[in-house]
Amino acid sequence: MRLPEHLELLLTDEPVLDVYSYGPWRVPDGLFEEISARIDGLAADPRAAELTTDEHKLLTLPASLVTAEIFGMLAFLPGGGAIKAGSWSQLPERLLYGHLVNPGPLSTRMTRWDAPGGRWRPPVDWLIEAPDRGLAIELARDCLSVLEGIEPLEERRKALLRLYDDPPECEIGLPKAELREHWHAHAGDDIVTAVPELLGPVGYLEWVCAGLLAAYEHLTDVAPRDETVEVHLVQLLLQGSMDHVPAELAVALGEDRYAELQHRFPAERRGFKAGAWQERTRAWLVRALVAGAADACRGWLDMAMRFIAIVQGLPGDPWFPKAEWIPVGQFQTDLRRLFAPRRRVVNPLTETLRKAPAEDGADGTAEGRRAARAEIATTLVEQPEVTAALAEVTAGSEPVRLLLAGPDGTGKRDAAQELGRALALGRDPHWVTDNLYTGQRLPDAVARLHADARDCAGDRLLVIDGLDGIVTDPGNGEALAAELHRLLAVHPDLHLVALCDTGGEERIRDINPVLPQLFRIARTRPFTERGHAELFRRALSARGARGTRQAVAAAGALLAATPPMQTLRNARLAPYLADQVVAAVRERAASGGDPDAELVVRKQDIPDTLDISRAAGNPLAELNALTGLDTVKHEIALLVAGTHAARLRSENGLKITPPTRHMVFTGNPGTGKTMVARLLGRIYKRLGVLSSGHLVEASRAHLVGEYIGQTAPRTRRLVERALGGVLFIDEAYTLTQSPLKGDYGHEAIAELVKLMEDHRDDLVVVVAGYQQEMAEFLAANPGLDSRFPKQIHFPDYTDEELITVFRQLAEADGFELAPGTEEVLATMLRRAPRGPSFGNGRLMRNMLDVAVANQADRVASAAVNAQKRHGGSAQKEHGGTKHGEARQNGAKHSGAEHGGEPAAAPTREELITITADDLPPLLEHPEEFFGLYL
């Protein structure tokens, strides 16, 4: 049994404002003080300083009309008769404390609540006394503005602001009641939806009744009650001290139901006891609570309180309902009583009076349950330690406490799912991951852990995926480990499986030495060739195919030799290979004319290598084919030569020291840094330095968290994705450039430095950015400069190289450059300003995109004109602008008729040709173009 997550804040001791129609909201530290300061500032505003009243009973006299106005707004904003609860629910008292004539002590009880009346006095309440009505309306709007930031009130506050911003066209000096009617009628649907009180007393009553009936219907479904809805409404009226059925209910409920209420009212009134009704209602709500209908209970309470407030206020606005009418306080006490964390001790009778095993039956008794637990049929492959652990914990009668540690993709989650089925606890296992706890405030994380344990105790398996990540979190890890230790003692019937990475049990032991001792620990291991072969055989079977013995064995050998990449590792490799092989076999069967033939995978269908990075071709040849970058190519060639030389020394028995391969790329945007990093990973893979050679691109946002405790886990996860390849961090200098005090960029650097050293054998980290900024970055941490011994500078491309890049990009897209195009491009480049933001190759890509769009406009217009000329059936005109008119260099549109012979439909040659006219125009200020297209 568990409280909905969004209500768990009610079980804490945090500063909470709980407007029932919105939900619990944690009050940010310092917000109420800030709003109080805004109120004081508005009251001291020269426009309002002289506006006071001697009539207010709760404010120090003479009271500012502004503070009196805000006092009324704070009563109205939660809603007419709406429930406002929580430890910080006393809004007027907290925000206007210094203005109160007799301020009392502020309550911090979470079960505190009130339901203020719902009268709104548009456009002004106390400010109506101001001699200048226009100024009064202006100040009333400012009163709403200073209350910004109280999230549960924001929707209604913003709706009223929209009403002030669009006032009705009427005389502002009208009497207060008439002015109010004009503003009510002028409110749009969006405003009335947020503030239904503007519908007037009868309209608001109808709105409340609709919600009340919906909540009652839902509650009676989960917690049946022996009464009709008409009896329920009559008793609500009696509980609200009503001596008649208001005639307005005929509009809100319909004439038939209104007549039924009138008929039943006298009979129900005789012998009605308010206290007895309240106790019955409280018990009904408790039944609904444990049935999982907490939100419906709160919805009914809110609507019931509004119902009493409005019927008592008829024919006027909702009145202030009394606390004893509806059991709100009792409900809030019951909610904490049922769901709050509590201590448990073992009753000795559970042991002394327990039946002997021989006396237990097999039909749901203790022995029956033990027998059922012993019948686990595991499908795990090559995990004997885990299989033995599963057999042990299912054969016993003690609560399951199992910790599974090992590499990703070795069956830990499958084992947990099998255990959940074997335990047959009645509910599916509840899974939580370390991401749910990382970065949370400690009270929130602890509350969640308590709620998870409480919900699962006794009848549900709790699976914590990534317990080592939770415990080693630098922010909350140690406290959460201690809290979990306590919970295992408090809930002796809790079944718990914890999943960890390799060595996770040792990392947990370093934080809390006692915690691992509470678990049966089992470790998974990577698969052998035989294990991979069995996984492949199962993957084929799942795809409707089978493999010969030789094919399955060959697949096992191939998979065992395939290095992992990111999450594609261990057991996940077999389905990956099976998808490729089965697709090829199915295509072969279809081409042979028998698509329904049995799919049989033979040894020749198994590839020699499995390239999971999908990077074909020779990366060294691709590097050499790049335009320019001569110095970069030379530096990479030296790295390759050094790797070859180290291998030769090793083969001849000479001692070698593996070099640090992390490096710095400096240069302006578009100079090929990312492209070379990707090729570098593939080159190192071919040389056997890296296991997969893939590239993972990252920036500051991938490394730095928003809260304490987020940055280190985020950095670790990023490095784990890049293992076996290259981690490319662009604009790495941003990690040290934040002006904010307490920025977590330096934490990311420290964690990265450690991980670079831990994984130096199968990871290359490349940091990139502008030359000067990267020099400052390396100086920001004492360990950085030594970790990046190689720095390669990427110079800007020359004009000739940029033209070559443009031509290569165009050819790759299937286009050719017309004669004279390169000359015009060269003229443009000579006039282009060369600064740090010059785009280099990226600029050429963007310019080509513009040229292709212009060429498409030109040839499409020519085709349309040719079709019209030949009497074609097409009637739709081309919608593009005439290209020639847009050009400042006087180019003519090839498809328009400017005298002479009209152009024919474009030929194939014209369709693939980019001309000088297609290039972006030569502007008087070239930097304008580069500003637009970079």
Side-chain angles (χ1 to χ4, degrees), residues 38-277:
R38 291 185 215 152
I39 294 172
D40 293 341
L42 182 59
D45 190 295
R47 298 172 299 162
E50 303 300 323
L51 302 179
T52 60
T53 179
D54 293 323
E55 301 296 327
H56 207 287
K57 297 179 180 179
L58 300 177
L59 299 176
T60 303
L61 303 179
S64 167
L65 291 181
V66 163
T67 55
E69 183 82 14
I70 290 175
F71 197 103
M73 286 180 173
L74 289 172
F76 172 75
L77 280 175
I83 297 174
K84 171 168 60 72
S87 57
W88 278 40
S89 60
Q90 295 169 282
L91 292 181
E93 293 85 346
R94 289 188 178 274
L95 298 179
L96 298 170
Y97 190 85
H99 299 274
L100 299 178
V101 64
N102 187 23
L106 295 174
S107 172
T108 57
R109 289 183 301 109
M110 188 63 77
T111 54
R112 190 208 169 276
W113 71 279
D114 60 67
R119 179 180 300 173
W120 183 59
R121 298 92 168 173
V124 286
D125 179 14
W126 286 90
L127 281 166
I128 199 77
E129 298 182 17
D132 184 343
R133 186 67 65 85
L135 175 62
I137 294 175
E138 179 183 325
L139 288 173
R141 189 196 184 286
D142 291 344
C143 289
L144 279 171
S145 297
V146 299
L147 297 178
E148 180 182 5
I150 307 175
E151 194 60 39
L153 312 181
E154 277 296 277
E155 183 181 8
R156 290 168 60 86
R157 186 189 71 87
K158 291 178 179 178
L160 293 178
L161 278 176
R162 293 196 297 274
L163 188 56
Y164 274 106
D165 291 338
D166 181 26
E169 295 181 359
C170 65
E171 173 59 46
I172 63 173
L174 290 173
K176 192 174 181 178
E178 293 184 34
L179 194 64
R180 170 180 175 162
E181 293 303 320
H182 280 288
W183 284 61
H184 277 194
H186 185 66
D189 289 346
D190 62 322
I191 297 175
V192 174
T193 298
V195 192
E197 293 90 334
L198 301 185
L199 294 168
V202 176
Y204 184 52
L205 175 63
E206 187 176 15
W207 182 87
V208 169
C209 286
L212 177 64
L213 295 177
Y216 179 77
E217 181 181 351
H218 182 87
L219 285 180
T220 53
D221 284 342
V222 298
R225 196 172 185 180
D226 188 19
E227 65 180 18
T228 65
V229 67
E230 289 78 14
V231 169
H232 180 71
L233 292 172
V234 168
Q235 291 184 345
L236 263 182
L237 291 172
L238 293 170
Q239 185 69 8
S241 302
M242 297 295 293
D243 57 5
H244 68 286
V245 179
E248 290 84 352
L249 284 173
V251 178
L253 298 172
E255 294 181 6
D256 292 342
R257 181 163 281 172
Y258 171 69
E260 183 69 16
L261 296 184
Q262 284 187 309
H263 173 72
R264 291 182 175 274
F265 190 84
E268 293 293 332
R269 189 176 183 183
R270 289 191 297 270
F272 179 80
K273 301 295 183 183
W277 178 90

Side-chain angles (χ1 to χ4, degrees), residues 5 74 264 492 593 771 827 884:
E5 184 175 346
L74 289 172
R264 291 182 175 274
Q771 191 168 14
T827 302

